[in-house]
């Protein structure tokens, strides 16, 4: 007789109550490149549904996580290796995109975003409706190793063969290619909706790990580029 199947770890399964029993879908909240509907579909598959916009209170974006996937793809440059995460920040808020995905895609999502905490957050849709969904939020090296890594061989496979050092850092700059994708996604969404609120939120509620606001960083970057031309 075969031994009973071992269930996957809890973090690879949707949190209790998150999957709608009538649709078999769960809700995701995007605040970076996933504010692009096409990017969301490319990431989660073409079967995403109910794509809409809204707001999450009490969080800001911070470029504080080493992007392993961008290192692997040779898109990083020196200390320009950070991706953004959502950090609990009183008084801040995120303009977000919200969409539903089939429950069977949850494990794929969780594995791809393994270095982030998968937090259930409250959101308010533009039409006034409220709901709860999964949003990727800030974590730590210690929590990642404890909750997501089996042993040193597993860590080497996931991280060590690409990068050595701390993953969560406050001394990095954004990955240029990733930052461009995020900025463009917000601009395109604003153009689609006839607003500037998504770009405004990106510039004013996004920070580097050292606390520099994104609009100040981009102004300095643009000035440097002009000086070098």
């Amino acid at each position: 007789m075969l031994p009973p199947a071992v269930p996957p770890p809890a973090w690879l399964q949707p949190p209790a109550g998150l999957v709608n029993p009538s649709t078999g879908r769960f809700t995701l909240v995007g605040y970076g490149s996933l504010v692009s509907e096409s990017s969301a579909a490319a990431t989660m598959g073409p079967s995403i549904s109910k794509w809409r916009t809204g707001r999450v209170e009490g969080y800001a974006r911070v470029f504080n996580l080493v992007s392993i996937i961008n290192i692997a793809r040779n898109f990083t440059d020196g200390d320009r290796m950070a991706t953004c995460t959502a950090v609990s920040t009183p008084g801040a808020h995120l303009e977000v995109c919200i969409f539903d995905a089939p429950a069977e895609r949850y494990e794929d999502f969780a594995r791809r975003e393994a270095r982030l905490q998968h937090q259930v957050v409250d959101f308010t849709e533009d039409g006034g409706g409220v709901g709860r969904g999964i949003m990727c939020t800030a974590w730590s090296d210690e929590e990642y190793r404890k909750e997501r890594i089996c042993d040193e061989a597993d860590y080497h496979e996931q991280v060590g063969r690409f990068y050595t050092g701390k993953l969560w850092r406050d001394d990095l700059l954004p990955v240029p290619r990733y930052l461009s994708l995020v900025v463009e996604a917000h601009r395109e969404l604003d153009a689609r909706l006839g607003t500037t609120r998504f770009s405004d939120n990106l510039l004013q509620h996004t920070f580097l790990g050292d606390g520099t606001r994104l609009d100040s960083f981009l102004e300095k970057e643009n000035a440097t580029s002009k000086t070098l031309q």
Side-chain angles (χ1 to χ4, degrees):
M1 179 181 295
L2 293 174
V6 178
W11 68 275
L12 294 177
Q13 304 175 60
L18 187 67
V19 176
N20 185 322
S22 64
T23 64
R25 291 171 173 266
F26 70 100
T27 300
L28 277 165
V29 178
Y31 55 84
S33 60
L34 291 188
V35 302
S36 162
E37 186 173 8
S38 60
S39 179
T43 300
M44 293 302 298
S47 57
I48 64 170
S49 62
K50 291 187 65 179
W51 188 89
R52 64 266 197 208
T53 53
R55 178 173 173 138
V56 173
E57 298 288 348
Y59 286 88
R61 300 170 201 82
V62 179
F63 282 90
N64 59 355
L65 173 61
V66 173
S67 178
I68 298 301
I69 190 170
N70 280 299
I71 292 176
R73 293 174 176 174
N74 293 316
F75 291 154
T76 58
D77 180 14
D79 59 358
R80 297 175 185 268
M81 62 172 70
T83 187
C84 70
T85 73
V87 177
S88 178
T89 307
H93 77 276
L94 297 175
E95 297 290 342
V96 299
C97 286
I98 305 153
F99 58 94
D100 295 351
E104 56 266 27
R105 294 303 305 270
Y106 190 87
E107 182 173 341
D108 293 338
F109 152 76
R111 288 189 183 279
R112 188 176 56 255
E113 304 294 351
R115 283 172 284 282
L116 290 144
Q117 184 171 206
H118 306 149
Q119 186 82 28
V120 178
V121 298
D122 297 316
F123 59 78
T124 303
E125 298 175 6
D126 284 353
V130 297
R132 307 188 81 203
I134 285 284
M135 187 169 77
C136 293
T137 62
W139 223 16
S140 70
D141 285 77
E142 293 75 22
E143 290 168 311
Y144 169 59
R145 281 180 172 269
K146 178 181 177 182
E147 299 294 333
R148 307 281 164 82
I149 295 296
C150 298
D151 50 33
E152 286 303 313
D154 185 27
Y155 187 82
H156 176 76
E157 178 66 21
Q158 304 301 325
V159 176
R161 62 194 177 110
F162 304 110
Y163 167 81
T164 58
K166 290 193 65 175
L167 291 167
W168 294 87
R169 295 171 50 177
D170 61 7
D171 61 343
L172 299 176
L173 300 176
V175 177
R177 182 186 176 93
Y178 174 73
L179 178 57
S180 295
L181 288 173
V182 171
V183 170
E184 187 59 27
H186 284 72
R187 286 175 176 168
E188 289 180 356
L189 183 57
D190 276 333
R192 174 176 173 178
L193 300 177
T195 181
T196 63
R197 82 175 215 253
F198 280 87
S199 295
D200 291 344
N201 181 255
L202 177 67
L203 293 173
Q204 297 168 13
H205 291 257
T206 304
F207 302 86
L208 305 189
D210 66 2
T212 301
R213 208 167 74 172
L214 185 60
D215 54 359
S216 297
F217 169 71
L218 291 176
E219 287 176 8
K220 182 178 179 180
E221 289 285 286
N222 290 337
T224 299
S225 297
K226 291 177 181 178
T227 299
L228 295 175
Q229 288 176 354

PDB file of all heavy atoms in Angstrom, residues 97-127:
ATOM      1  N   CYS A  97      -4.421  47.619  -8.272  1.00  0.00           N
ATOM      2  CA  CYS A  97      -5.305  46.869  -9.152  1.00  0.00           C
ATOM      3  C   CYS A  97      -5.641  45.553  -8.471  1.00  0.00           C
ATOM      4  O   CYS A  97      -4.800  44.963  -7.780  1.00  0.00           O
ATOM      5  CB  CYS A  97      -4.664  46.633 -10.506  1.00  0.00           C
ATOM      6  SG  CYS A  97      -4.624  48.128 -11.509  1.00  0.00           S
ATOM      7  N   ILE A  98      -6.858  45.126  -8.657  1.00  0.00           N
ATOM      8  CA  ILE A  98      -7.393  43.953  -7.970  1.00  0.00           C
ATOM      9  C   ILE A  98      -7.940  43.013  -9.037  1.00  0.00           C
ATOM     10  O   ILE A  98      -8.597  43.456  -9.981  1.00  0.00           O
ATOM     11  CB  ILE A  98      -8.528  44.381  -7.014  1.00  0.00           C
ATOM     12  CG1 ILE A  98      -8.034  45.473  -6.045  1.00  0.00           C
ATOM     13  CG2 ILE A  98      -9.080  43.182  -6.245  1.00  0.00           C
ATOM     14  CD1 ILE A  98      -9.146  46.382  -5.551  1.00  0.00           C
ATOM     15  N   PHE A  99      -7.651  41.740  -8.898  1.00  0.00           N
ATOM     16  CA  PHE A  99      -8.177  40.778  -9.863  1.00  0.00           C
ATOM     17  C   PHE A  99      -8.297  39.407  -9.205  1.00  0.00           C
ATOM     18  O   PHE A  99      -7.688  39.138  -8.167  1.00  0.00           O
ATOM     19  CB  PHE A  99      -7.305  40.710 -11.116  1.00  0.00           C
ATOM     20  CG  PHE A  99      -5.866  40.349 -10.859  1.00  0.00           C
ATOM     21  CD1 PHE A  99      -5.427  39.029 -10.934  1.00  0.00           C
ATOM     22  CD2 PHE A  99      -4.933  41.339 -10.557  1.00  0.00           C
ATOM     23  CE1 PHE A  99      -4.102  38.700 -10.709  1.00  0.00           C
ATOM     24  CE2 PHE A  99      -3.600  41.014 -10.328  1.00  0.00           C
ATOM     25  CZ  PHE A  99      -3.191  39.697 -10.405  1.00  0.00           C
ATOM     26  N   ASP A 100      -9.097  38.541  -9.814  1.00  0.00           N
ATOM     27  CA  ASP A 100      -9.329  37.202  -9.289  1.00  0.00           C
ATOM     28  C   ASP A 100      -8.625  36.174 -10.168  1.00  0.00           C
ATOM     29  O   ASP A 100      -8.517  36.358 -11.392  1.00  0.00           O
ATOM     30  CB  ASP A 100     -10.817  36.897  -9.239  1.00  0.00           C
ATOM     31  CG  ASP A 100     -11.575  37.803  -8.264  1.00  0.00           C
ATOM     32  OD1 ASP A 100     -10.903  38.546  -7.514  1.00  0.00           O
ATOM     33  OD2 ASP A 100     -12.811  37.758  -8.261  1.00  0.00           O
ATOM     34  N   ALA A 101      -8.156  35.109  -9.553  1.00  0.00           N
ATOM     35  CA  ALA A 101      -7.457  34.043 -10.274  1.00  0.00           C
ATOM     36  C   ALA A 101      -7.940  32.694  -9.759  1.00  0.00           C
ATOM     37  O   ALA A 101      -8.378  32.576  -8.608  1.00  0.00           O
ATOM     38  CB  ALA A 101      -5.943  34.177 -10.080  1.00  0.00           C
ATOM     39  N   PRO A 102      -7.861  31.652 -10.593  1.00  0.00           N
ATOM     40  CA  PRO A 102      -8.293  30.318 -10.161  1.00  0.00           C
ATOM     41  C   PRO A 102      -7.479  29.819  -8.970  1.00  0.00           C
ATOM     42  O   PRO A 102      -6.267  30.027  -8.903  1.00  0.00           O
ATOM     43  CB  PRO A 102      -8.047  29.444 -11.397  1.00  0.00           C
ATOM     44  CG  PRO A 102      -8.012  30.396 -12.544  1.00  0.00           C
ATOM     45  CD  PRO A 102      -7.422  31.667 -11.999  1.00  0.00           C
ATOM     46  N   ALA A 103      -8.135  29.146  -8.040  1.00  0.00           N
ATOM     47  CA  ALA A 103      -7.459  28.658  -6.845  1.00  0.00           C
ATOM     48  C   ALA A 103      -6.292  27.737  -7.174  1.00  0.00           C
ATOM     49  O   ALA A 103      -5.290  27.699  -6.448  1.00  0.00           O
ATOM     50  CB  ALA A 103      -8.462  27.941  -5.937  1.00  0.00           C
ATOM     51  N   GLU A 104      -6.397  26.999  -8.296  1.00  0.00           N
ATOM     52  CA  GLU A 104      -5.315  26.082  -8.643  1.00  0.00           C
ATOM     53  C   GLU A 104      -4.036  26.812  -9.046  1.00  0.00           C
ATOM     54  O   GLU A 104      -2.976  26.203  -9.161  1.00  0.00           O
ATOM     55  CB  GLU A 104      -5.741  25.127  -9.763  1.00  0.00           C
ATOM     56  CG  GLU A 104      -6.229  25.804 -11.025  1.00  0.00           C
ATOM     57  CD  GLU A 104      -7.741  25.968 -11.054  1.00  0.00           C
ATOM     58  OE1 GLU A 104      -8.363  26.039  -9.964  1.00  0.00           O
ATOM     59  OE2 GLU A 104      -8.277  26.021 -12.172  1.00  0.00           O
ATOM     60  N   ARG A 105      -4.115  28.130  -9.258  1.00  0.00           N
ATOM     61  CA  ARG A 105      -2.909  28.910  -9.581  1.00  0.00           C
ATOM     62  C   ARG A 105      -2.240  29.470  -8.335  1.00  0.00           C
ATOM     63  O   ARG A 105      -1.196  30.122  -8.421  1.00  0.00           O
ATOM     64  CB  ARG A 105      -3.265  30.068 -10.522  1.00  0.00           C
ATOM     65  CG  ARG A 105      -3.746  29.659 -11.899  1.00  0.00           C
ATOM     66  CD  ARG A 105      -2.726  28.788 -12.629  1.00  0.00           C
ATOM     67  NE  ARG A 105      -1.417  29.402 -12.731  1.00  0.00           N
ATOM     68  CZ  ARG A 105      -1.043  30.186 -13.743  1.00  0.00           C
ATOM     69  NH1 ARG A 105      -1.869  30.420 -14.733  1.00  0.00           N
ATOM     70  NH2 ARG A 105       0.163  30.704 -13.773  1.00  0.00           N
ATOM     71  N   TYR A 106      -2.826  29.228  -7.147  1.00  0.00           N
ATOM     72  CA  TYR A 106      -2.269  29.825  -5.936  1.00  0.00           C
ATOM     73  C   TYR A 106      -0.846  29.327  -5.659  1.00  0.00           C
ATOM     74  O   TYR A 106       0.030  30.115  -5.305  1.00  0.00           O
ATOM     75  CB  TYR A 106      -3.150  29.558  -4.712  1.00  0.00           C
ATOM     76  CG  TYR A 106      -2.703  30.362  -3.509  1.00  0.00           C
ATOM     77  CD1 TYR A 106      -3.180  31.656  -3.308  1.00  0.00           C
ATOM     78  CD2 TYR A 106      -1.762  29.871  -2.610  1.00  0.00           C
ATOM     79  CE1 TYR A 106      -2.734  32.419  -2.238  1.00  0.00           C
ATOM     80  CE2 TYR A 106      -1.313  30.620  -1.539  1.00  0.00           C
ATOM     81  CZ  TYR A 106      -1.807  31.902  -1.363  1.00  0.00           C
ATOM     82  OH  TYR A 106      -1.356  32.659  -0.316  1.00  0.00           O
ATOM     83  N   GLU A 107      -0.617  28.040  -5.798  1.00  0.00           N
ATOM     84  CA  GLU A 107       0.724  27.511  -5.508  1.00  0.00           C
ATOM     85  C   GLU A 107       1.768  28.130  -6.418  1.00  0.00           C
ATOM     86  O   GLU A 107       2.874  28.470  -5.971  1.00  0.00           O
ATOM     87  CB  GLU A 107       0.743  25.993  -5.627  1.00  0.00           C
ATOM     88  CG  GLU A 107       2.104  25.404  -5.278  1.00  0.00           C
ATOM     89  CD  GLU A 107       2.119  23.889  -5.221  1.00  0.00           C
ATOM     90  OE1 GLU A 107       1.034  23.288  -5.087  1.00  0.00           O
ATOM     91  OE2 GLU A 107       3.226  23.315  -5.295  1.00  0.00           O
ATOM     92  N   ASP A 108       1.448  28.290  -7.710  1.00  0.00           N
ATOM     93  CA  ASP A 108       2.386  28.929  -8.637  1.00  0.00           C
ATOM     94  C   ASP A 108       2.721  30.338  -8.173  1.00  0.00           C
ATOM     95  O   ASP A 108       3.888  30.759  -8.180  1.00  0.00           O
ATOM     96  CB  ASP A 108       1.790  28.988 -10.045  1.00  0.00           C
ATOM     97  CG  ASP A 108       1.630  27.616 -10.666  1.00  0.00           C
ATOM     98  OD1 ASP A 108       2.325  26.679 -10.233  1.00  0.00           O
ATOM     99  OD2 ASP A 108       0.806  27.476 -11.586  1.00  0.00           O
ATOM    100  N   PHE A 109       1.682  31.085  -7.790  1.00  0.00           N
ATOM    101  CA  PHE A 109       1.876  32.441  -7.281  1.00  0.00           C
ATOM    102  C   PHE A 109       2.763  32.431  -6.034  1.00  0.00           C
ATOM    103  O   PHE A 109       3.731  33.201  -5.931  1.00  0.00           O
ATOM    104  CB  PHE A 109       0.524  33.078  -6.964  1.00  0.00           C
ATOM    105  CG  PHE A 109       0.565  34.109  -5.874  1.00  0.00           C
ATOM    106  CD1 PHE A 109       1.062  35.374  -6.121  1.00  0.00           C
ATOM    107  CD2 PHE A 109       0.121  33.800  -4.588  1.00  0.00           C
ATOM    108  CE1 PHE A 109       1.127  36.334  -5.097  1.00  0.00           C
ATOM    109  CE2 PHE A 109       0.176  34.742  -3.570  1.00  0.00           C
ATOM    110  CZ  PHE A 109       0.677  36.010  -3.830  1.00  0.00           C
ATOM    111  N   ALA A 110       2.449  31.548  -5.079  1.00  0.00           N
ATOM    112  CA  ALA A 110       3.173  31.531  -3.812  1.00  0.00           C
ATOM    113  C   ALA A 110       4.640  31.183  -4.014  1.00  0.00           C
ATOM    114  O   ALA A 110       5.526  31.781  -3.379  1.00  0.00           O
ATOM    115  CB  ALA A 110       2.518  30.539  -2.858  1.00  0.00           C
ATOM    116  N   ARG A 111       4.922  30.237  -4.882  1.00  0.00           N
ATOM    117  CA  ARG A 111       6.320  29.867  -5.127  1.00  0.00           C
ATOM    118  C   ARG A 111       7.084  30.997  -5.813  1.00  0.00           C
ATOM    119  O   ARG A 111       8.250  31.257  -5.506  1.00  0.00           O
ATOM    120  CB  ARG A 111       6.383  28.601  -5.983  1.00  0.00           C
ATOM    121  CG  ARG A 111       5.970  27.332  -5.242  1.00  0.00           C
ATOM    122  CD  ARG A 111       6.257  26.097  -6.056  1.00  0.00           C
ATOM    123  NE  ARG A 111       5.798  24.880  -5.394  1.00  0.00           N
ATOM    124  CZ  ARG A 111       6.466  24.255  -4.436  1.00  0.00           C
ATOM    125  NH1 ARG A 111       7.632  24.730  -4.036  1.00  0.00           N
ATOM    126  NH2 ARG A 111       5.986  23.158  -3.879  1.00  0.00           N
ATOM    127  N   ARG A 112       6.433  31.679  -6.741  1.00  0.00           N
ATOM    128  CA  ARG A 112       7.105  32.764  -7.458  1.00  0.00           C
ATOM    129  C   ARG A 112       7.421  33.927  -6.524  1.00  0.00           C
ATOM    130  O   ARG A 112       8.436  34.617  -6.678  1.00  0.00           O
ATOM    131  CB  ARG A 112       6.229  33.238  -8.621  1.00  0.00           C
ATOM    132  CG  ARG A 112       6.938  34.239  -9.531  1.00  0.00           C
ATOM    133  CD  ARG A 112       6.084  34.625 -10.718  1.00  0.00           C
ATOM    134  NE  ARG A 112       4.796  35.142 -10.308  1.00  0.00           N
ATOM    135  CZ  ARG A 112       3.644  34.497 -10.392  1.00  0.00           C
ATOM    136  NH1 ARG A 112       3.604  33.274 -10.887  1.00  0.00           N
ATOM    137  NH2 ARG A 112       2.521  35.045 -10.002  1.00  0.00           N
ATOM    138  N   GLU A 113       6.558  34.153  -5.537  1.00  0.00           N
ATOM    139  CA  GLU A 113       6.745  35.267  -4.604  1.00  0.00           C
ATOM    140  C   GLU A 113       7.170  34.757  -3.228  1.00  0.00           C
ATOM    141  O   GLU A 113       6.776  35.300  -2.202  1.00  0.00           O
ATOM    142  CB  GLU A 113       5.433  36.052  -4.486  1.00  0.00           C
ATOM    143  CG  GLU A 113       4.877  36.556  -5.809  1.00  0.00           C
ATOM    144  CD  GLU A 113       5.751  37.609  -6.474  1.00  0.00           C
ATOM    145  OE1 GLU A 113       6.715  38.086  -5.827  1.00  0.00           O
ATOM    146  OE2 GLU A 113       5.492  37.949  -7.629  1.00  0.00           O
ATOM    147  N   ALA A 114       7.991  33.722  -3.208  1.00  0.00           N
ATOM    148  CA  ALA A 114       8.323  33.037  -1.954  1.00  0.00           C
ATOM    149  C   ALA A 114       9.061  33.911  -0.958  1.00  0.00           C
ATOM    150  O   ALA A 114       8.984  33.681   0.252  1.00  0.00           O
ATOM    151  CB  ALA A 114       9.144  31.784  -2.245  1.00  0.00           C
ATOM    152  N   ARG A 115       9.799  34.916  -1.430  1.00  0.00           N
ATOM    153  CA  ARG A 115      10.591  35.728  -0.508  1.00  0.00           C
ATOM    154  C   ARG A 115       9.779  36.863   0.118  1.00  0.00           C
ATOM    155  O   ARG A 115      10.299  37.642   0.913  1.00  0.00           O
ATOM    156  CB  ARG A 115      11.828  36.271  -1.229  1.00  0.00           C
ATOM    157  CG  ARG A 115      12.904  35.208  -1.393  1.00  0.00           C
ATOM    158  CD  ARG A 115      14.061  35.643  -2.252  1.00  0.00           C
ATOM    159  NE  ARG A 115      13.742  35.636  -3.665  1.00  0.00           N
ATOM    160  CZ  ARG A 115      13.708  34.531  -4.419  1.00  0.00           C
ATOM    161  NH1 ARG A 115      13.951  33.354  -3.885  1.00  0.00           N
ATOM    162  NH2 ARG A 115      13.424  34.605  -5.711  1.00  0.00           N
ATOM    163  N   LEU A 116       8.505  36.942  -0.228  1.00  0.00           N
ATOM    164  CA  LEU A 116       7.616  37.958   0.330  1.00  0.00           C
ATOM    165  C   LEU A 116       6.569  37.321   1.229  1.00  0.00           C
ATOM    166  O   LEU A 116       6.214  36.142   1.066  1.00  0.00           O
ATOM    167  CB  LEU A 116       6.919  38.709  -0.802  1.00  0.00           C
ATOM    168  CG  LEU A 116       7.834  39.617  -1.629  1.00  0.00           C
ATOM    169  CD1 LEU A 116       7.406  39.611  -3.081  1.00  0.00           C
ATOM    170  CD2 LEU A 116       7.817  41.017  -1.067  1.00  0.00           C
ATOM    171  N   GLN A 117       6.081  38.096   2.163  1.00  0.00           N
ATOM    172  CA  GLN A 117       4.968  37.641   2.992  1.00  0.00           C
ATOM    173  C   GLN A 117       3.668  37.755   2.188  1.00  0.00           C
ATOM    174  O   GLN A 117       3.457  38.745   1.487  1.00  0.00           O
ATOM    175  CB  GLN A 117       4.869  38.493   4.259  1.00  0.00           C
ATOM    176  CG  GLN A 117       3.810  38.036   5.222  1.00  0.00           C
ATOM    177  CD  GLN A 117       3.869  38.754   6.540  1.00  0.00           C
ATOM    178  OE1 GLN A 117       3.440  38.238   7.567  1.00  0.00           O
ATOM    179  NE2 GLN A 117       4.416  39.955   6.552  1.00  0.00           N
ATOM    180  N   HIS A 118       2.808  36.775   2.290  1.00  0.00           N
ATOM    181  CA  HIS A 118       1.542  36.789   1.561  1.00  0.00           C
ATOM    182  C   HIS A 118       0.451  37.204   2.535  1.00  0.00           C
ATOM    183  O   HIS A 118      -0.134  36.379   3.241  1.00  0.00           O
ATOM    184  CB  HIS A 118       1.270  35.406   0.959  1.00  0.00           C
ATOM    185  CG  HIS A 118       2.399  34.916   0.112  1.00  0.00           C
ATOM    186  ND1 HIS A 118       2.724  33.575  -0.037  1.00  0.00           N
ATOM    187  CD2 HIS A 118       3.323  35.600  -0.620  1.00  0.00           C
ATOM    188  CE1 HIS A 118       3.770  33.457  -0.829  1.00  0.00           C
ATOM    189  NE2 HIS A 118       4.155  34.664  -1.191  1.00  0.00           N
ATOM    190  N   GLN A 119       0.201  38.500   2.550  1.00  0.00           N
ATOM    191  CA  GLN A 119      -0.655  39.113   3.558  1.00  0.00           C
ATOM    192  C   GLN A 119      -2.079  39.304   3.033  1.00  0.00           C
ATOM    193  O   GLN A 119      -2.284  39.779   1.919  1.00  0.00           O
ATOM    194  CB  GLN A 119      -0.084  40.483   3.944  1.00  0.00           C
ATOM    195  CG  GLN A 119      -0.784  41.167   5.079  1.00  0.00           C
ATOM    196  CD  GLN A 119      -0.308  40.664   6.428  1.00  0.00           C
ATOM    197  OE1 GLN A 119       0.830  40.225   6.571  1.00  0.00           O
ATOM    198  NE2 GLN A 119      -1.182  40.700   7.400  1.00  0.00           N
ATOM    199  N   VAL A 120      -3.050  38.924   3.837  1.00  0.00           N
ATOM    200  CA  VAL A 120      -4.444  39.210   3.497  1.00  0.00           C
ATOM    201  C   VAL A 120      -4.743  40.640   3.938  1.00  0.00           C
ATOM    202  O   VAL A 120      -4.576  40.983   5.121  1.00  0.00           O
ATOM    203  CB  VAL A 120      -5.409  38.227   4.182  1.00  0.00           C
ATOM    204  CG1 VAL A 120      -6.862  38.583   3.846  1.00  0.00           C
ATOM    205  CG2 VAL A 120      -5.120  36.800   3.744  1.00  0.00           C
ATOM    206  N   VAL A 121      -5.141  41.495   2.995  1.00  0.00           N
ATOM    207  CA  VAL A 121      -5.385  42.905   3.297  1.00  0.00           C
ATOM    208  C   VAL A 121      -6.799  43.297   2.870  1.00  0.00           C
ATOM    209  O   VAL A 121      -7.414  42.663   2.010  1.00  0.00           O
ATOM    210  CB  VAL A 121      -4.372  43.830   2.577  1.00  0.00           C
ATOM    211  CG1 VAL A 121      -2.954  43.533   3.052  1.00  0.00           C
ATOM    212  CG2 VAL A 121      -4.471  43.687   1.063  1.00  0.00           C
ATOM    213  N   ASP A 122      -7.296  44.347   3.503  1.00  0.00           N
ATOM    214  CA  ASP A 122      -8.586  44.921   3.119  1.00  0.00           C
ATOM    215  C   ASP A 122      -8.368  45.944   2.017  1.00  0.00           C
ATOM    216  O   ASP A 122      -7.385  46.697   2.044  1.00  0.00           O
ATOM    217  CB  ASP A 122      -9.235  45.611   4.326  1.00  0.00           C
ATOM    218  CG  ASP A 122      -9.541  44.645   5.451  1.00  0.00           C
ATOM    219  OD1 ASP A 122     -10.052  43.549   5.168  1.00  0.00           O
ATOM    220  OD2 ASP A 122      -9.255  44.983   6.620  1.00  0.00           O
ATOM    221  N   PHE A 123      -9.281  45.983   1.056  1.00  0.00           N
ATOM    222  CA  PHE A 123      -9.204  46.987  -0.002  1.00  0.00           C
ATOM    223  C   PHE A 123     -10.577  47.602  -0.228  1.00  0.00           C
ATOM    224  O   PHE A 123     -11.605  47.029   0.130  1.00  0.00           O
ATOM    225  CB  PHE A 123      -8.676  46.384  -1.305  1.00  0.00           C
ATOM    226  CG  PHE A 123      -9.498  45.245  -1.866  1.00  0.00           C
ATOM    227  CD1 PHE A 123     -10.690  45.478  -2.552  1.00  0.00           C
ATOM    228  CD2 PHE A 123      -9.070  43.934  -1.720  1.00  0.00           C
ATOM    229  CE1 PHE A 123     -11.448  44.428  -3.057  1.00  0.00           C
ATOM    230  CE2 PHE A 123      -9.822  42.871  -2.225  1.00  0.00           C
ATOM    231  CZ  PHE A 123     -11.008  43.126  -2.893  1.00  0.00           C
ATOM    232  N   THR A 124     -10.548  48.797  -0.825  1.00  0.00           N
ATOM    233  CA  THR A 124     -11.772  49.473  -1.236  1.00  0.00           C
ATOM    234  C   THR A 124     -11.721  49.673  -2.731  1.00  0.00           C
ATOM    235  O   THR A 124     -10.771  50.263  -3.254  1.00  0.00           O
ATOM    236  CB  THR A 124     -11.915  50.840  -0.536  1.00  0.00           C
ATOM    237  OG1 THR A 124     -11.895  50.658   0.887  1.00  0.00           O
ATOM    238  CG2 THR A 124     -13.235  51.510  -0.934  1.00  0.00           C
ATOM    239  N   GLU A 125     -12.720  49.166  -3.444  1.00  0.00           N
ATOM    240  CA  GLU A 125     -12.777  49.329  -4.891  1.00  0.00           C
ATOM    241  C   GLU A 125     -13.222  50.743  -5.238  1.00  0.00           C
ATOM    242  O   GLU A 125     -13.847  51.442  -4.433  1.00  0.00           O
ATOM    243  CB  GLU A 125     -13.750  48.316  -5.485  1.00  0.00           C
ATOM    244  CG  GLU A 125     -13.333  46.877  -5.258  1.00  0.00           C
ATOM    245  CD  GLU A 125     -14.384  45.891  -5.769  1.00  0.00           C
ATOM    246  OE1 GLU A 125     -15.366  46.345  -6.402  1.00  0.00           O
ATOM    247  OE2 GLU A 125     -14.233  44.685  -5.523  1.00  0.00           O
ATOM    248  N   ASP A 126     -12.902  51.162  -6.462  1.00  0.00           N
ATOM    249  CA  ASP A 126     -13.268  52.513  -6.879  1.00  0.00           C
ATOM    250  C   ASP A 126     -14.766  52.766  -6.777  1.00  0.00           C
ATOM    251  O   ASP A 126     -15.194  53.882  -6.494  1.00  0.00           O
ATOM    252  CB  ASP A 126     -12.799  52.764  -8.318  1.00  0.00           C
ATOM    253  CG  ASP A 126     -11.307  53.009  -8.390  1.00  0.00           C
ATOM    254  OD1 ASP A 126     -10.661  53.117  -7.326  1.00  0.00           O
ATOM    255  OD2 ASP A 126     -10.773  53.080  -9.512  1.00  0.00           O
ATOM    256  N   GLY A 127     -15.563  51.747  -6.991  1.00  0.00           N
ATOM    257  CA  GLY A 127     -17.013  51.916  -6.912  1.00  0.00           C
ATOM    258  C   GLY A 127     -17.557  51.936  -5.500  1.00  0.00           C
ATOM    259  O   GLY A 127     -18.771  52.097  -5.304  1.00  0.00           O
TER     260      GLY A 127
END
